[in-house]
Short mmCIF file of all heavy atoms in Angstrom, two decimals:
data_model
loop_
_atom_site.label_atom_id
_atom_site.label_comp_id
_atom_site.label_asym_id
_atom_site.label_seq_id
_atom_site.Cartn_x
_atom_site.Cartn_y
_atom_site.Cartn_z
N GLY C 1 0.79 -1.23 0.00
CA GLY C 1 0.00 0.00 0.00
C GLY C 1 0.82 1.28 0.00
O GLY C 1 0.31 2.35 0.33
N CYS C 2 2.09 1.19 -0.39
CA CYS C 2 2.92 2.38 -0.49
C CYS C 2 2.41 3.24 -1.65
O CYS C 2 1.83 2.71 -2.61
CB CYS C 2 4.38 2.00 -0.72
SG CYS C 2 5.08 0.97 0.59
N ILE C 3 2.63 4.53 -1.57
CA ILE C 3 2.18 5.45 -2.61
C ILE C 3 3.40 6.17 -3.17
O ILE C 3 4.16 6.79 -2.42
CB ILE C 3 1.17 6.47 -2.05
CG1 ILE C 3 -0.07 5.74 -1.52
CG2 ILE C 3 0.80 7.51 -3.10
CD1 ILE C 3 -1.00 6.60 -0.70
N ILE C 4 3.57 6.11 -4.48
CA ILE C 4 4.65 6.85 -5.13
C ILE C 4 4.16 8.27 -5.36
O ILE C 4 3.23 8.49 -6.13
CB ILE C 4 5.08 6.18 -6.45
CG1 ILE C 4 5.67 4.79 -6.15
CG2 ILE C 4 6.09 7.06 -7.18
CD1 ILE C 4 6.01 3.99 -7.38
N LYS C 5 4.78 9.22 -4.64
CA LYS C 5 4.40 10.63 -4.75
C LYS C 5 5.05 11.28 -5.95
O LYS C 5 4.46 12.14 -6.59
CB LYS C 5 4.77 11.39 -3.48
CG LYS C 5 3.95 11.00 -2.26
CD LYS C 5 4.33 11.83 -1.07
CE LYS C 5 3.99 13.29 -1.33
NZ LYS C 5 4.20 14.16 -0.18
N SER C 6 6.30 10.90 -6.23
CA SER C 6 6.98 11.43 -7.41
C SER C 6 8.07 10.46 -7.84
O SER C 6 8.57 9.67 -7.04
CB SER C 6 7.58 12.82 -7.13
OG SER C 6 8.66 12.74 -6.24
N LYS C 7 8.40 10.56 -9.11
CA LYS C 7 9.43 9.70 -9.68
C LYS C 7 10.17 10.53 -10.73
O LYS C 7 9.54 11.10 -11.63
CB LYS C 7 8.80 8.48 -10.33
CG LYS C 7 9.80 7.46 -10.77
CD LYS C 7 9.28 6.22 -11.48
CE LYS C 7 7.90 5.80 -11.25
NZ LYS C 7 7.54 4.56 -11.94
N GLN C 8 11.49 10.63 -10.57
CA GLN C 8 12.32 11.35 -11.52
C GLN C 8 13.44 10.44 -12.02
O GLN C 8 13.89 9.57 -11.28
CB GLN C 8 13.03 12.54 -10.86
CG GLN C 8 12.21 13.59 -10.24
CD GLN C 8 13.16 14.62 -9.60
OE1 GLN C 8 14.05 15.17 -10.25
NE2 GLN C 8 12.97 14.85 -8.32
N LEU C 9 13.87 10.69 -13.22
CA LEU C 9 15.07 10.06 -13.74
C LEU C 9 16.01 11.20 -14.09
O LEU C 9 15.71 12.02 -14.97
CB LEU C 9 14.75 9.20 -14.96
CG LEU C 9 15.83 8.26 -15.42
CD1 LEU C 9 16.20 7.27 -14.31
CD2 LEU C 9 15.40 7.50 -16.65
N ARG C 10 17.11 11.31 -13.37
CA ARG C 10 18.02 12.45 -13.51
C ARG C 10 19.38 11.98 -14.03
O ARG C 10 19.90 10.95 -13.58
CB ARG C 10 18.22 13.13 -12.16
CG ARG C 10 16.96 13.74 -11.60
CD ARG C 10 17.14 14.17 -10.15
NE ARG C 10 18.32 14.95 -9.87
CZ ARG C 10 18.30 16.26 -9.59
NH1 ARG C 10 17.15 16.91 -9.55
NH2 ARG C 10 19.43 16.90 -9.31
N LYS C 11 19.95 12.74 -14.95
CA LYS C 11 21.30 12.47 -15.43
C LYS C 11 22.28 12.92 -14.35
O LYS C 11 22.13 13.99 -13.78
CB LYS C 11 21.59 13.23 -16.72
CG LYS C 11 20.76 12.78 -17.89
CD LYS C 11 21.07 13.63 -19.10
CE LYS C 11 20.15 13.29 -20.25
NZ LYS C 11 20.36 14.17 -21.40
N LEU C 12 23.27 12.07 -14.09
CA LEU C 12 24.30 12.47 -13.14
C LEU C 12 25.16 13.57 -13.76
O LEU C 12 25.38 13.57 -14.98
CB LEU C 12 25.15 11.27 -12.73
CG LEU C 12 24.44 10.28 -11.81
CD1 LEU C 12 25.30 9.05 -11.58
CD2 LEU C 12 24.07 10.92 -10.48
N PRO C 13 25.64 14.50 -12.95
CA PRO C 13 26.37 15.65 -13.49
C PRO C 13 27.76 15.29 -14.00
O PRO C 13 28.40 14.36 -13.50
CB PRO C 13 26.45 16.59 -12.29
CG PRO C 13 26.44 15.69 -11.10
CD PRO C 13 25.52 14.55 -11.49
N HIS C 14 28.21 16.06 -14.99
CA HIS C 14 29.58 15.93 -15.48
C HIS C 14 30.46 16.80 -14.61
O HIS C 14 30.17 17.98 -14.40
CB HIS C 14 29.66 16.37 -16.95
CG HIS C 14 31.05 16.38 -17.46
ND1 HIS C 14 31.81 17.52 -17.53
CD2 HIS C 14 31.84 15.38 -17.91
CE1 HIS C 14 33.00 17.23 -18.01
NE2 HIS C 14 33.04 15.94 -18.25
N LEU C 15 31.52 16.22 -14.08
CA LEU C 15 32.50 16.97 -13.30
C LEU C 15 33.85 16.88 -14.03
O LEU C 15 34.14 15.88 -14.69
CB LEU C 15 32.64 16.39 -11.89
CG LEU C 15 31.36 16.36 -11.05
CD1 LEU C 15 31.63 15.74 -9.69
CD2 LEU C 15 30.77 17.75 -10.89
N ALA C 16 34.64 17.91 -13.88
CA ALA C 16 35.95 17.96 -14.55
C ALA C 16 36.76 16.71 -14.21
O ALA C 16 36.81 16.27 -13.06
CB ALA C 16 36.71 19.21 -14.12
N ARG C 17 37.39 16.15 -15.22
CA ARG C 17 38.27 14.98 -15.11
C ARG C 17 37.57 13.72 -14.60
O ARG C 17 38.22 12.80 -14.13
CB ARG C 17 39.49 15.30 -14.26
CG ARG C 17 40.36 16.40 -14.84
CD ARG C 17 41.61 16.65 -14.04
NE ARG C 17 41.42 16.87 -12.63
CZ ARG C 17 41.16 18.05 -12.05
NH1 ARG C 17 41.05 19.12 -12.80
NH2 ARG C 17 41.03 18.15 -10.75
N CYS C 18 36.26 13.68 -14.65
CA CYS C 18 35.52 12.49 -14.22
C CYS C 18 34.71 11.95 -15.40
O CYS C 18 34.13 12.71 -16.16
CB CYS C 18 34.56 12.82 -13.08
SG CYS C 18 35.37 13.25 -11.54
N LYS C 19 34.67 10.65 -15.51
CA LYS C 19 33.90 10.00 -16.58
C LYS C 19 32.77 9.13 -16.04
O LYS C 19 32.05 8.50 -16.80
CB LYS C 19 34.83 9.13 -17.44
CG LYS C 19 35.91 9.90 -18.16
CD LYS C 19 35.36 10.60 -19.36
CE LYS C 19 36.50 11.20 -20.16
NZ LYS C 19 36.12 12.44 -20.79
N LYS C 20 32.63 9.06 -14.73
CA LYS C 20 31.63 8.16 -14.12
C LYS C 20 30.20 8.57 -14.42
O LYS C 20 29.27 7.81 -14.18
CB LYS C 20 31.83 8.07 -12.61
CG LYS C 20 33.17 7.49 -12.21
CD LYS C 20 33.27 6.04 -12.58
CE LYS C 20 34.58 5.46 -12.06
NZ LYS C 20 34.73 4.08 -12.35
N HIS C 21 30.00 9.77 -14.95
CA HIS C 21 28.65 10.22 -15.29
C HIS C 21 28.16 9.57 -16.59
O HIS C 21 27.00 9.74 -16.97
CB HIS C 21 28.60 11.74 -15.41
CG HIS C 21 29.32 12.28 -16.60
ND1 HIS C 21 30.70 12.26 -16.70
CD2 HIS C 21 28.86 12.81 -17.74
CE1 HIS C 21 31.05 12.77 -17.87
NE2 HIS C 21 29.96 13.12 -18.53
N LEU C 22 29.04 8.82 -17.24
CA LEU C 22 28.69 8.14 -18.49
C LEU C 22 28.77 6.62 -18.30
O LEU C 22 29.65 6.12 -17.59
CB LEU C 22 29.65 8.54 -19.61
CG LEU C 22 29.70 10.02 -19.97
CD1 LEU C 22 30.81 10.28 -20.97
CD2 LEU C 22 28.35 10.49 -20.50
N LEU C 23 27.86 5.91 -18.95
CA LEU C 23 27.93 4.44 -18.96
C LEU C 23 29.10 4.02 -19.84
O LEU C 23 29.32 4.59 -20.92
CB LEU C 23 26.63 3.84 -19.50
CG LEU C 23 25.40 4.03 -18.61
CD1 LEU C 23 24.13 3.62 -19.35
CD2 LEU C 23 25.54 3.22 -17.32
N THR C 24 29.85 3.04 -19.39
CA THR C 24 31.02 2.60 -20.15
C THR C 24 30.64 1.78 -21.38
O THR C 24 31.44 1.64 -22.30
CB THR C 24 31.97 1.75 -19.27
OG1 THR C 24 31.26 0.63 -18.77
CG2 THR C 24 32.52 2.58 -18.12
N THR C 25 29.43 1.27 -21.41
CA THR C 25 29.01 0.42 -22.54
C THR C 25 28.82 1.21 -23.82
O THR C 25 29.26 0.78 -24.88
CB THR C 25 27.70 -0.31 -22.20
OG1 THR C 25 26.76 0.64 -21.70
CG2 THR C 25 27.94 -1.40 -21.18
N ASP C 26 28.18 2.38 -23.72
CA ASP C 26 27.89 3.13 -24.94
C ASP C 26 28.09 4.64 -24.80
O ASP C 26 27.80 5.39 -25.72
CB ASP C 26 26.46 2.84 -25.42
CG ASP C 26 25.40 3.25 -24.41
OD1 ASP C 26 25.75 3.83 -23.36
OD2 ASP C 26 24.21 2.98 -24.68
N GLY C 27 28.56 5.10 -23.65
CA GLY C 27 28.82 6.52 -23.46
C GLY C 27 27.57 7.36 -23.19
O GLY C 27 27.66 8.58 -23.14
N SER C 28 26.45 6.71 -23.03
CA SER C 28 25.22 7.46 -22.74
C SER C 28 25.25 7.93 -21.28
O SER C 28 25.99 7.38 -20.45
CB SER C 28 23.98 6.62 -23.03
OG SER C 28 23.95 5.48 -22.22
N PRO C 29 24.45 8.94 -20.95
CA PRO C 29 24.47 9.46 -19.58
C PRO C 29 24.04 8.41 -18.56
O PRO C 29 23.11 7.64 -18.80
CB PRO C 29 23.45 10.60 -19.61
CG PRO C 29 23.30 10.96 -21.05
CD PRO C 29 23.56 9.70 -21.82
N ARG C 30 24.74 8.38 -17.44
CA ARG C 30 24.36 7.53 -16.32
C ARG C 30 23.28 8.29 -15.54
O ARG C 30 23.44 9.47 -15.26
CB ARG C 30 25.56 7.25 -15.42
CG ARG C 30 25.27 6.25 -14.31
CD ARG C 30 26.51 6.00 -13.45
NE ARG C 30 27.68 5.62 -14.19
CZ ARG C 30 27.95 4.38 -14.60
NH1 ARG C 30 27.12 3.40 -14.33
NH2 ARG C 30 29.05 4.12 -15.28
#
C-alpha cells in the first residue's frame, strides 16, 4: 500500500576529469 508521490530520472552531473557520469558500454548518460 505504499504510494509513489513522485518519480524522476536524472542524469548524473559531469565533473571535470571524471567519466563516471557516463555508462562505459555506450557513453550514454548515467
Side-chain angles (χ1 to χ4, degrees):
C2 301
I3 298 168
I4 296 175
K5 291 183 64 174
S6 70
K7 188 182 336 183
Q8 300 178 54
L9 193 59
R10 296 169 49 108
K11 294 178 186 176
L12 288 174
H14 174 262
L15 301 178
R17 298 184 308 273
C18 292
K19 297 282 188 214
K20 298 292 184 179
H21 70 290
L22 300 173
L23 292 170
T24 59
T25 50
D26 61 4
S28 62
R30 186 180 307 277

